[in-house]
CSV table of all heavy atoms in Angstrom, one decimal:
chain,number,residue,atom,x,y,z
E,105,ALA,N,146.3,112.7,233.5
E,105,ALA,CA,145.0,113.3,233.3
E,105,ALA,C,144.4,112.9,232.0
E,105,ALA,O,145.1,112.7,231.0
E,105,ALA,CB,145.1,114.8,233.4
E,106,CYS,N,143.0,112.8,232.0
E,106,CYS,CA,142.3,112.3,230.8
E,106,CYS,C,142.0,113.3,229.8
E,106,CYS,O,141.9,113.0,228.6
E,106,CYS,CB,141.0,111.6,231.2
E,106,CYS,SG,139.7,112.8,231.6
E,107,GLY,N,142.0,114.6,230.2
E,107,GLY,CA,141.7,115.7,229.2
E,107,GLY,C,140.2,115.9,228.9
E,107,GLY,O,139.9,116.8,228.2
E,108,GLN,N,139.4,115.0,229.4
E,108,GLN,CA,137.9,115.0,229.0
E,108,GLN,C,137.0,115.3,230.1
E,108,GLN,O,135.8,115.7,229.9
E,108,GLN,CB,137.6,113.7,228.4
E,108,GLN,CG,138.4,113.3,227.1
E,108,GLN,CD,138.1,114.3,226.0
E,108,GLN,OE1,137.0,114.7,225.8
E,108,GLN,NE2,139.1,114.6,225.2
E,109,CYS,N,137.4,115.1,231.4
E,109,CYS,CA,136.4,115.1,232.5
E,109,CYS,C,136.1,116.5,232.9
E,109,CYS,O,136.7,117.5,232.5
E,109,CYS,CB,136.9,114.2,233.6
E,109,CYS,SG,138.2,115.0,234.5
E,110,PHE,N,135.1,116.7,233.8
E,110,PHE,CA,134.7,117.9,234.4
E,110,PHE,C,136.0,118.7,234.9
E,110,PHE,O,136.1,119.9,234.6
E,110,PHE,CB,133.8,117.6,235.5
E,110,PHE,CG,133.4,118.8,236.4
E,110,PHE,CD1,132.4,119.7,236.0
E,110,PHE,CD2,134.0,119.0,237.6
E,110,PHE,CE1,132.0,120.7,236.8
E,110,PHE,CE2,133.6,120.1,238.4
E,110,PHE,CZ,132.6,121.0,238.0
E,111,PHE,N,136.9,118.0,235.6
E,111,PHE,CA,138.0,118.7,236.2
E,111,PHE,C,139.1,119.1,235.2
E,111,PHE,O,139.5,120.2,235.2
E,111,PHE,CB,138.6,117.8,237.3
E,111,PHE,CG,137.6,117.6,238.4
E,111,PHE,CD1,136.9,116.4,238.4
E,111,PHE,CD2,137.3,118.5,239.3
E,111,PHE,CE1,135.9,116.1,239.4
E,111,PHE,CE2,136.4,118.3,240.3
E,111,PHE,CZ,135.7,117.1,240.4
E,112,CYS,N,139.4,118.2,234.3
E,112,CYS,CA,140.4,118.5,233.2
E,112,CYS,C,139.9,119.7,232.4
E,112,CYS,O,140.7,120.6,232.0
E,112,CYS,CB,140.6,117.3,232.3
E,112,CYS,SG,141.6,116.0,233.1
E,113,LYS,N,138.6,119.8,232.1
E,113,LYS,CA,138.1,120.8,231.3
E,113,LYS,C,138.2,122.2,232.0
E,113,LYS,O,138.2,123.2,231.3
E,113,LYS,CB,136.7,120.5,230.9
E,113,LYS,CG,136.6,119.4,229.9
E,113,LYS,CD,135.5,119.5,228.9
E,113,LYS,CE,135.8,118.6,227.7
E,113,LYS,NZ,134.7,117.8,227.3
E,117,TRP,N,143.8,119.8,236.5
E,117,TRP,CA,144.3,118.5,236.0
E,117,TRP,C,144.6,117.5,237.0
E,117,TRP,O,144.4,116.3,236.8
E,117,TRP,CB,145.5,118.7,235.1
E,117,TRP,CG,145.3,119.7,234.0
E,117,TRP,CD1,145.4,121.0,234.0
E,117,TRP,CD2,144.9,119.3,232.6
E,117,TRP,NE1,145.1,121.5,232.7
E,117,TRP,CE2,144.8,120.5,231.9
E,117,TRP,CE3,144.6,118.1,232.0
E,117,TRP,CZ2,144.4,120.5,230.5
E,117,TRP,CZ3,144.2,118.1,230.6
E,117,TRP,CH2,144.1,119.3,229.9
E,119,ALA,N,143.1,117.0,239.6
E,119,ALA,CA,141.9,116.5,240.2
E,119,ALA,C,141.1,115.6,239.2
E,119,ALA,O,140.0,115.2,239.4
E,119,ALA,CB,141.0,117.6,240.6
E,120,CYS,N,141.8,115.2,238.1
E,120,CYS,CA,141.2,114.3,237.1
E,120,CYS,C,140.4,113.2,237.7
E,120,CYS,O,140.9,112.5,238.6
E,120,CYS,CB,142.2,113.8,236.1
E,120,CYS,SG,141.5,112.7,234.8
E,121,ASP,N,139.2,112.9,237.2
E,121,ASP,CA,138.3,111.9,237.8
E,121,ASP,C,138.5,110.5,237.1
E,121,ASP,O,137.9,109.6,237.6
E,121,ASP,CB,136.9,112.4,237.6
E,121,ASP,CG,136.2,112.4,239.0
E,121,ASP,OD1,136.8,112.0,240.0
E,121,ASP,OD2,135.0,112.9,239.0
E,122,ASN,N,139.3,110.4,236.1
E,122,ASN,CA,139.3,109.2,235.3
E,122,ASN,C,140.6,108.4,235.3
E,122,ASN,O,140.7,107.5,234.5
E,122,ASN,CB,139.0,109.5,233.8
E,122,ASN,CG,137.5,109.8,233.7
E,122,ASN,OD1,136.7,109.3,234.4
E,122,ASN,ND2,137.2,110.7,232.7
E,123,THR,N,141.6,108.8,236.1
E,123,THR,CA,142.9,108.2,235.9
E,123,THR,C,143.4,107.4,237.1
E,123,THR,O,144.5,106.9,237.1
E,123,THR,CB,144.0,109.2,235.5
E,123,THR,OG1,143.9,110.3,236.5
E,123,THR,CG2,143.7,109.8,234.2
T,2,ZN,ZN1,140.2,114.2,233.5
Side-chain angles (χ1 to χ4, degrees):
C106 77
Q108 298 295 324
C109 72
F110 172 83
F111 299 98
C112 287
K113 290 211 159 135
W117 303 88
C120 177
D121 237 352
N122 284 329
T123 53

